[in-house]
Amino acid sequence: MIGKLKGTIEEIGEDYVLVDVHGVCYVAFCSARTLSRIGSVGEAVVLFIETYVREDQLKLFGFMSALEREWFRLLQIVQGVGSKVALAVLSTLTPSELANAIALQDKTAISRAPGVGPKVAIRILTELKTKAPAFAGESMNIGLKQEIGEGVATAPVADAVSALTNLGYSRDQAANAVAAALKNGGEGADSAKLIRLGLKELAR
């Protein structure tokens, strides 16, 4: 079982990188996001590896962080999501963005990934919603976002988020702004105050 590769980039393909580890070259399949960040041929690289062993093949999947690898594993517990779709999701969304989208039950964000239709997106949101907090990484305000996504946030919070999204901001941007507004305005702030403070946050 291979858990991590440290070596030199020998070649970068459309969906893989060839890593030279002391003269032995390993093919690791990666998300487009990972491939855009690993560097150039000849440079040193460290990849967290998920090893797939099947009767007819052995495949390595490479990630820039252990958290990204965990999301790759998590996504595949969802019916209809295999390695190809999981990589497509991670090519489109960072682990933090993915946790936010699941917490907010944001089907549109998940559906941006190639090969992810509405039904698969809904399954990802439904089956992984309890996992988002534990795998949020640097994602902020995940608890508040879950309340918003599940429709149990307070009326002022829900109204403020709705107002900001109607102004063209994403639900994630709106939720972050309202969370900051709550800290500045206090838990008892009404929707008008949250909107005003939220707009100040978004203007920074």
Side-chain angles (χ1 to χ4, degrees):
M1 185 69 70
I2 298 171
K4 185 189 281 188
L5 288 179
K6 292 182 179 180
T8 305
I9 299 173
E10 183 79 12
E11 177 185 333
I12 299 176
E14 186 177 336
D15 61 351
Y16 70 89
V17 61
L18 192 62
V19 182
D20 184 338
V21 182
H22 304 302
V24 179
C25 290
Y26 296 88
V27 176
F29 294 92
C30 305
S31 69
R33 186 181 297 278
T34 294
L35 290 174
S36 70
R37 294 169 55 209
I38 59 172
S40 305
V41 171
E43 293 183 351
V45 68
V46 177
L47 288 175
F48 291 86
I49 298 295
E50 178 72 0
T51 307
Y52 269 29
V53 181
R54 299 289 185 269
E55 288 183 9
D56 57 345
Q57 64 177 335
L58 187 152
K59 258 185 169 181
L60 304 180
F61 295 90
F63 307 92
M64 292 296 289
S65 69
L67 182 61
E68 188 180 18
R69 181 177 62 187
E70 288 305 314
W71 272 111
F72 179 72
R73 291 170 178 167
L74 267 179
L75 284 164
Q76 290 176 87
I77 70 175
V78 177
Q79 182 187 354
V81 177
S83 59
K84 185 176 180 180
V85 171
L87 281 182
V89 172
L90 291 169
S91 293
T92 307
L93 301 167
T94 66
S96 177
E97 289 168 342
L98 180 54
N100 286 338
I102 291 170
L104 288 166
Q105 294 292 287
D106 189 347
K107 184 177 73 173
T108 302
I110 303 290
S111 297
R112 280 171 31 215
V116 177
K119 288 183 179 179
V120 172
I122 289 170
R123 280 203 294 268
I124 290 173
L125 294 177
T126 303
E127 295 181 31
L128 298 184
K129 68 180 180 180
T130 60
K131 309 283 186 183
F135 295 89
E138 297 176 0
S139 177
M140 303 297 288
N141 312 312
I142 200 75
L144 178 69
K145 289 174 183 179
Q146 277 199 304
E147 290 178 3
I148 294 167
E150 293 171 8
V152 296
T154 64
V157 167
D159 290 345
V161 170
S162 177
L164 294 177
T165 54
N166 287 338
L167 290 173
Y169 296 101
S170 70
R171 289 189 81 201
D172 190 37
Q173 289 174 314
N176 284 332
V178 171
L182 275 172
K183 289 177 186 173
N184 297 328
E187 294 292 331
D190 60 17
S191 57
K193 186 174 184 180
L194 291 179
I195 292 166
R196 187 172 70 253
L197 293 174
L199 285 170
K200 280 186 180 178
E201 288 294 324
L202 290 164
R204 288 185 179 183

